[in-house]
Amino acid sequence: METTQSRPGAFRAPRRRFLKGSAAVGGGLAIGFALPVASRLAMAATDATINAYLKISPRNRITVVCGLSEMGQGVLTAIPMLVAEELDVDWSQVGVEQAGVDKAYANPVFGMQATGGSTSVRGHWQPMRMAGAAAREMLLAAAAKAWGAKPSDCHTEHGAVVHRSGRRLSYGELAAAAAAEPVPASPKLKDAKDFRILGTPAKRLDTPAKIDGSARFGIDVRLPGMLVAVLERAPVIGASARTVDDTAARQVPGVREIVRIPDGVAVLADGYWAAKKGRDALKVSWDLGKNATLSSETIARQLAEATQRSGATARNEGKADEAQGAKTLDALYEAPYLAHACMEPMNCTAWVRKDEVEIWAGTQSQGPAQGILGQVASVAPTKVKINTLFLGGGFGRRFAPDFTIAATVLSKQVGRPVKLVYSREDDMRAYFYRPAAAARFAATLDGTGKAIALRANVASPSIMAGSGFMKIAENGVDHFAVEGIADNPYDIANMKVGYVREEPGVQVWFWRSVGHSQNAFFMESFVDEMAAAAGKDPFEFRRAMLGKAPRHRAVLELAAAKADWGKPLPAGRHRGIALAKSFGSFVSEVAEVSVAEDGTPRIHRIVAAIDCGAIVNPEIIRRQVESAIVYGLTAMLYGRISFRDGRVEQGNFDTYRMLRMPEMPKVEVHIVKSDEAPGGVGEPGLPPAAPAVANAIFAATGKRIRSLPLDPGMLKRS
């Protein structure tokens, strides 16, 4: 098993040399093929390109070409598994190659080549299997012709076509001839009961390269004549440089260029440290503008007040405003801005030549970048070549175009290859944040404790508007702002959910699990409040409202059963439970928590149950759920981007803490076997983590956590 990573210049030959057609269209697949070769059974000197996604070597090595970005989520393994299963080869024969940018690799969910939203397997489940199945039928046809036999007299196994007489030809021997066969219009896909690879914990193809150091990330790129750039950015959103004194900066050894940019200054040097020292020597006078007094306290007050206004209606069933009952309760929940905090610093290397652009980057958005950078460099989009390298964390941050644009602008300016590098502080203060949000809830319970009405009003900035390529719905609702609340599964007769767009002026962006990341905390914590007000067990209270949501109910029951819900725990430990559906998958989590006298919580165990539909690789699913839980717990316990006097107060991991190894709870992941269409796995494990812990803290202390991150001071025993 092997993986081939891109090298400088590796994709200069356009993919259209071997593509006649392309694109995943409407769930189907149009496969492009190489030109016929002279001799159908001749052993080719190089790999035979069967289609845009598949190459076969004369030695019977199968290489799957993947157009998605590998950021740790396992896509360079999951996508080849889809092809390999239908192609009928052994996993030991399979390798993977990172594709360049081409419409052939458009994500069917997005309609463009991009990775995010836990869409990789969901979007490619059908197209990639069809690519493998089509290739298998073409190999069968080629073998049948070579033998003068009927295709029905042949079958495939372990990377070979076998005739009923026992004759056998490997795919490597047949590949060149197979490439000339007509494309099957509707190749037959395997029945799930016949899967040999899908559903197994196949070893990841990218692991060996990451272990031996040969894996190439964006930060590893070196080009002849390359300069390294760092940016001196405006310290406040919207600020501009009034004056720049670069005298001292130009005296720093290695500094070659200093360039004014719209929101600051770029220093370019022979290496990173020279560029950084040059930047540190700059003397810039700033016009801070209208955001000079921006503060987190002002933003929180602004959002809280906005929840009291009437907004756009996201859901309205029954007569929630008129419902009356035996008991009512209300609560305001709040969550802060969050940074993505990718471990690999943000970076991009760009080389703008006379009529073309080439970049090397760990990017999640190759398709959009091709068009954007074409405009930046004034070349046709087809003249923009993108080498996608491994991503040292993405979480949505590397979907943003800022770092690729800036590198391209600078290369165009100086006429040389430029590697732009953001320091940790540069990125953490770059204003691409998960939105701060507030949600005001009210509920009505009848005399038996049953919820008969639920009202929620969410206030936050709009990711859809802030993204620059999406539009808010005609009714004024940003889907991301209310997801997980407006589509909650609970059977409550009267329900109303509203959205108020409130823009404090900070650039917001997609963050791992997007709106679900805060909304599950809001929703599931308030459902727990409803259960407490009703005097009901939190698990049973939820379960009783899930009669119309069987998959939600099943994961809730599975998590509770595996966590021994209702059974005694060691002294001082308490349980909390939460439930969320996101990205096509259903997840419930139970947290076991204790709280020290000084208010510090200790999370001992999290039990997660996930129904993500059809299973590709159970080990990848488990690791992604574990990863999402770590990310979610980090946000709950420590995550906060705060503003004071217009400036971001956090800069590195000393002020923006990560969950550390001794703090990590034991995590158990239980996967529901399902024949449903696959859901996502990279993000759905995150949303239930914070509310499960918060609900356990309530069980331990009787105190509700309604604002994140957690303040241990409020839990301190008096």
Side-chain angles (χ1 to χ4, degrees):
M1 295 179 288
E2 61 192 20
T3 176
T4 303
Q5 262 294 320
S6 48
R7 300 177 298 278
F11 295 113
R12 292 184 186 177
R15 287 289 174 188
R16 296 193 183 280
R17 284 187 183 173
F18 69 84
L19 291 175
K20 285 187 174 181
S22 65
V25 181
L29 185 69
I31 305 177
F33 291 90
L35 295 174
V37 294
S39 175
R40 290 190 171 190
L41 290 178
M43 288 288 284
T46 59
D47 294 359
T49 300
I50 302 299
N51 57 49
Y53 313 103
L54 181 62
K55 296 190 290 187
I56 301 177
S57 78
R59 295 185 178 182
N60 219 28
R61 289 291 301 166
I62 312 299
T63 300
V64 176
V65 183
C66 181
L68 295 155
S69 305
E70 177 60 72
M71 47 193 166
Q73 84 280 35
V75 71
L76 289 185
T77 299
I79 295 301
M81 288 179 72
L82 297 175
V83 176
E85 180 63 72
E86 297 294 344
L87 187 58
D88 211 3
V89 295
D90 292 337
W91 189 238
S92 60
Q93 298 173 265
V94 179
V96 64
E97 177 181 301
Q98 182 72 60
V101 58
D102 196 285
K103 290 181 180 179
Y105 305 109
N107 185 324
V109 177
F110 297 147
M112 58 186 177
Q113 189 176 346
T115 308
S118 297
T119 60
S120 296
V121 169
R122 285 194 292 160
H124 293 82
W125 171 256
Q126 191 81 358
M128 298 309 292
R129 290 177 62 206
M130 288 182 68
R136 180 173 53 81
E137 291 188 9
M138 293 158 64
L139 288 158
L140 273 167
K145 284 185 178 179
W147 291 324
K150 298 178 181 178
S152 57
D153 290 336
C154 308
H155 70 275
T156 58
E157 62 181 28
H158 309 297
V161 178
V162 182
H163 188 262
R164 65 178 183 177
S165 65
R167 286 177 292 180
R168 185 185 191 93
L169 284 171
S170 73
Y171 287 174
E173 295 172 295
L174 292 166
E181 288 293 323
V183 183
S186 301
K188 184 179 179 181
L189 300 179
K190 286 186 179 180
D191 190 287
K193 66 180 176 57
D194 298 321
F195 288 167
R196 293 189 304 109
I197 295 175
L198 294 181
T200 71
K203 292 182 179 180
R204 286 182 59 150
L205 298 180
D206 56 335
T207 299
K210 290 178 178 177
I211 291 174
D212 66 23
S214 62
R216 300 191 70 251
F217 293 78
I219 202 73
D220 297 325
V221 173
R222 300 286 187 275
L223 297 177
M226 181 183 79
L227 295 178
V228 176
V230 297
L231 304 181
E232 174 70 1
R233 274 206 178 90
V236 172
I237 300 168
S240 58
R242 187 183 294 116
T243 62
V244 177
D245 182 353
D246 60 11
T247 305
R250 291 185 181 278
Q251 301 305 310
V252 174
V255 169
R256 302 301 176 190
E257 302 276 356
I258 296 178
V259 179
R260 292 285 294 268
I261 56 176
D263 62 345
V265 184
V267 178
L268 296 90
D270 294 333
Y272 176 78
W273 290 112
K276 182 181 182 301
K277 289 178 180 178
R279 182 184 66 177
D280 293 344
L282 290 171
K283 296 178 181 178
V284 184
S285 173
W286 298 97
D287 180 358
L288 298 181
K290 65 180 182 179
N291 291 315
T293 60
L294 186 71
S295 72
S296 290
E297 292 75 18
T298 301
I299 293 169
R301 185 167 56 251
Q302 184 179 346
L303 292 171
E305 291 173 354
T307 63
Q308 297 178 308
R309 301 201 307 264
S310 177
T313 301
R315 181 174 180 176
N316 192 6
E317 297 171 359
K319 298 180 179 180
D321 291 329
E322 302 173 19
Q324 296 184 1
K327 186 176 291 187
T328 61
L329 63 154
D330 60 78
L332 175 68
Y333 281 82
E334 299 171 293
Y337 292 104
L338 292 178
H340 300 78
C342 304
M343 283 294 170
E344 180 194 9
M346 300 296 294
N347 66 87
C348 174
T349 300
W351 192 354
V352 179
R353 295 185 278 270
K354 182 178 180 181
D355 61 351
E356 66 178 1
V357 178
E358 187 166 10
I359 72 165
W360 294 260
T363 175
Q364 295 178 240
S365 55
Q366 297 90 337
Q370 193 175 42
I372 293 169
L373 300 185
Q375 293 181 22
V376 170
S378 301
V379 302
T382 54
K383 293 294 185 178
V384 177
K385 302 170 185 178
I386 298 176
N387 302 301
T388 303
L389 305 183
F390 281 121
L391 286 64
F395 315 122
R397 177 64 181 93
R398 296 183 199 270
F399 207 108
D402 59 307
F403 62 109
T404 57
I405 291 174
T408 302
V409 167
L410 292 172
S411 177
K412 182 179 180 181
Q413 178 84 8
V414 302
R416 296 171 65 175
V418 171
K419 179 199 281 188
L420 174 67
V421 179
Y422 290 2
S423 70
R424 180 78 55 209
E425 290 79 4
D426 295 339
D427 182 39
M428 203 160 283
R429 294 167 181 157
Y431 308 125
F432 284 87
Y433 302 131
R434 187 199 74 175
R440 192 174 297 273
F441 290 89
T444 304
L445 309 178
D446 67 13
T448 68
K450 180 181 179 181
I452 58 174
L454 174 67
R455 298 176 296 284
N457 208 28
V458 179
S460 76
S462 170
I463 290 179
M464 298 183 81
S467 71
F469 61 87
M470 304 182 77
K471 293 183 179 179
I472 296 177
E474 291 184 3
N475 65 355
V477 174
D478 183 320
H479 163 74
F480 298 115
V482 296
E483 61 185 1
I485 298 177
D487 56 347
N488 80 80
Y490 297 114
D491 187 9
I492 301 174
N494 305 287
M495 194 179 301
K496 186 176 183 180
V497 179
Y499 168 64
V500 179
R501 181 182 174 189
E502 190 66 24
E503 298 286 352
V506 179
Q507 169 72 54
V508 295
W509 198 249
F510 307 95
W511 192 88
R512 191 173 188 175
S513 77
V514 202
H516 292 285
S517 65
Q518 73 266 13
N519 289 345
F521 166 69
F522 297 161
M523 183 72 198
E524 285 297 293
S525 296
F526 189 68
V527 169
D528 228 61
E529 292 203 45
M530 293 162 63
K536 306 277 188 177
D537 174 83
F539 161 67
E540 295 294 352
F541 184 77
R542 287 174 171 81
R543 186 172 179 271
M545 295 191 294
L546 295 172
K548 298 178 182 178
R551 294 179 75 183
H552 287 86
R553 182 167 174 165
V555 292
L556 182 80
E557 292 173 340
L558 179 59
K562 294 297 184 180
D564 296 323
W565 186 271
K567 295 182 180 180
L569 282 167
R573 290 197 192 184
H574 298 267
R575 294 187 184 96
I577 194 167
L579 173 69
K581 177 195 174 186
S582 60
F583 309 97
S585 293
F586 305 76
V587 181
S588 181
E589 293 173 10
V590 175
E592 289 182 15
V593 177
S594 63
V595 180
E597 289 190 7
D598 65 357
T600 302
R602 172 66 178 170
I603 307 165
H604 300 275
R605 180 187 183 209
I606 290 186
V607 177
I610 179 170
D611 175 358
C612 56
I615 298 169
V616 174
N617 187 315
E619 277 306 307
I620 288 178
I621 294 170
R622 289 190 182 92
R623 291 169 188 172
Q624 282 302 292
V625 172
E626 291 168 355
S627 165
I629 287 172
V630 174
Y631 210 70
L633 293 181
T634 293
M636 189 225 178
L637 296 174
Y638 307 117
R640 184 172 188 248
I641 288 293
S642 57
F643 292 85
R644 187 170 302 281
D645 297 328
R647 291 167 167 80
V648 175
E649 294 186 290
Q650 292 72 29
N652 212 314
F653 292 136
D654 56 338
T655 50
Y656 194 85
R657 269 202 60 187
M658 300 283 106
L659 194 74
R660 294 173 181 169
M661 291 179 70
E663 299 172 296
M664 183 64 191
K666 178 182 179 182
V667 176
E668 300 172 20
V669 180
H670 302 276
I671 306 170
V672 175
K673 291 185 178 180
S674 174
D675 294 327
E676 299 285 346
V681 299
E683 297 167 278
L686 189 152
V693 171
N695 294 337
I697 288 173
F698 172 76
T701 66
K703 297 177 181 179
R704 283 289 172 195
I705 308 299
R706 296 197 182 103
S707 179
L708 296 180
L710 173 70
D711 176 11
M714 68 169 290
L715 303 178
K716 186 176 181 180
R717 297 178 194 173
S718 56

